[in-house]
Amino acid sequence: LKIKKNVILQGAPGVGKTFCAERLAYSVMGKKDERRIKTIQFHQSYSYEDFIMGYKPSGDSFKLRNGVFYNFCIEASNNPNEDYFFIIDEINRGNLSKIFGELLMMIERDYRGKEITLAYSDQGFHVPDNLYIIGMMNTADRSLALIDYALRRRFSFFDMKPGFGSDGFKAHLEAVGNEKFEKVIKLISELNSEISNDDSLGSGFEIGHSYFCGKPEDITDSYIVKIVKYDIFPTIREYWFDNDKKAADWIEKLTKVLND
């Protein structure tokens, strides 16, 4: 992040992308300062006018208004000795070339601080050197196209994996102290191996640990059943929509553990 200025955390739902994006920003700051973080979410209707600048309805006419990224850049420029972090959730859901416009070039490290004239303004504008962009990308959504190469070149990518084998999750298992919960987690880890080795899916579709990260005192047998039935089963059916037998086999395995 310090080298490139722009990174994308990519992974399946539930691997902790949002959690880690915020912690990454705080770790670079050296403290927790929410004032220097701005989080937004891209979607199909998000536009350059929302992001940078554009005319918006104002009474009976239209008024030129600054977008959220423009305002955040100004704030960062006014405080050059502090680092600022712009976090974009679902970054691959928006039309990125349309949203960034001419700033697609200006977010590059080598162009930081250099001025450009914006489409809606005759004034010079730049992306400050002390502003970092952290994007988050869901790798398990088949409906989304891959990011185009022009934007990909401007970001570094970090793959995030489920953390079931991490020290933190092992401590979580001990704190929960539920035998059924441990059996479910073991089976989910085996399921992830199956997903990762499936040519039609891959590691980007693995089931994340966040589904199972409730407060230890809340994780009862009833809680576990609800998570598996209403979060994991639908995911399995969606992944293997073209292989009913494989989906049924894994649902049967998990159901057996739930009923033990």
Side-chain angles (χ1 to χ4, degrees), residues 7-60:
V7 300
I8 288 179
L9 308 180
Q10 61 179 4
V15 294
K17 296 185 290 294
T18 303
F19 179 90
C20 287
E22 293 177 350
R23 277 15 180 226
L24 175 58
Y26 294 146
S27 70
V28 177
M29 288 182 198
K31 63 178 182 178
K32 185 176 180 178
D33 187 351
E34 295 178 356
R35 176 183 57 88
R36 290 190 270 150
I37 292 180
K38 187 72 175 178
T39 303
I40 66 166
Q41 186 181 75
F42 279 176
H43 51 78
Q44 288 88 342
S45 299
Y46 207 86
S47 68
Y48 177 93
E49 287 75 15
D50 300 313
F51 196 61
I52 310 296
M53 182 181 292
Y55 285 96
K56 298 286 185 179
S58 178
D60 296 332

Side-chain angles (χ1 to χ4, degrees), residues 15 161-174 185 189 209 213:
V15 294
K161 305 291 185 183
F164 292 114
S166 67
D167 291 340
F169 198 85
K170 289 176 183 176
H172 178 59
L173 278 176
E174 291 181 11
I185 296 304
S189 296
H209 56 274
C213 284

Side-chain angles (χ1 to χ4, degrees), residues 3-237:
I3 294 171
K4 191 81 169 186
K5 300 291 185 183
N6 315 306
V7 300
I8 288 179
L9 308 180
Q10 61 179 4
V15 294
K17 296 185 290 294
T18 303
F19 179 90
C20 287
E22 293 177 350
R23 277 15 180 226
L24 175 58
Y26 294 146
S27 70
V28 177
M29 288 182 198
K31 63 178 182 178
K32 185 176 180 178
D33 187 351
E34 295 178 356
R35 176 183 57 88
R36 290 190 270 150
I37 292 180
K38 187 72 175 178
T39 303
I40 66 166
Q41 186 181 75
F42 279 176
H43 51 78
Q44 288 88 342
S45 299
Y46 207 86
S47 68
Y48 177 93
E49 287 75 15
D50 300 313
F51 196 61
I52 310 296
M53 182 181 292
Y55 285 96
K56 298 286 185 179
S58 178
D60 296 332
S61 61
F62 289 84
K63 185 177 182 180
L64 186 62
R65 296 186 184 277
N66 299 331
V68 61
F69 186 70
Y70 181 98
N71 288 331
F72 200 68
C73 284
I74 297 299
E75 187 175 345
S77 296
N78 292 336
N79 299 278
N81 296 322
E82 294 183 319
D83 291 328
Y84 282 73
F85 300 85
F86 196 84
I87 299 176
I88 306 173
D89 190 21
E90 303 283 5
I91 191 169
N92 53 330
R93 282 194 174 274
N95 184 331
L96 300 174
S97 297
K98 175 184 175 185
I99 292 170
F100 278 93
E102 62 270 31
L103 291 191
L104 196 58
M105 178 177 71
M106 310 313 292
I107 64 172
E108 284 191 56
R109 178 187 177 95
D110 293 342
Y111 289 95
R112 292 298 184 94
K114 296 183 179 180
E115 289 202 343
I116 190 173
T117 302
L118 298 177
Y120 284 94
S121 171
D122 292 331
Q123 298 177 342
F125 178 77
H126 70 277
V127 179
D129 194 54
N130 61 325
L131 187 145
Y132 300 86
I133 300 174
I134 304 173
M136 292 171 283
M137 189 168 78
N138 179 5
T139 54
D141 194 332
R142 303 176 199 258
S143 67
L144 300 179
L146 295 175
I147 287 182
D148 65 58
Y149 287 109
L151 191 76
R152 183 170 286 274
R153 183 170 60 82
R154 291 164 169 85
F155 283 84
S156 289
F157 287 76
F158 185 83
D159 290 320
M160 293 192 63
K161 305 291 185 183
F164 292 114
S166 67
D167 291 340
F169 198 85
K170 289 176 183 176
H172 178 59
L173 278 176
E174 291 181 11
V176 173
N178 184 303
E179 186 177 354
K180 180 175 289 189
F181 187 59
E182 292 178 9
K183 289 181 178 179
V184 167
I185 296 304
K186 183 176 183 296
L187 199 52
I188 292 294
S189 296
E190 294 175 9
L191 172 60
N192 276 343
S193 295
E194 179 89 9
I195 291 170
S196 181
N197 293 326
D198 192 306
D199 291 339
S200 65
L201 297 170
S203 60
F205 288 79
E206 291 180 1
I207 292 169
H209 56 274
S210 296
Y211 289 109
F212 305 95
C213 284
K215 294 179 181 179
E217 60 270 21
D218 293 337
I219 300 180
T220 61
D221 284 1
S222 175
Y223 176 98
I224 298 165
V225 169
K226 287 183 174 67
I227 292 297
V228 173
K229 285 183 67 176
Y230 303 118
D231 287 314
I232 307 306
F233 284 179
T235 300
I236 291 172
R237 292 189 186 100

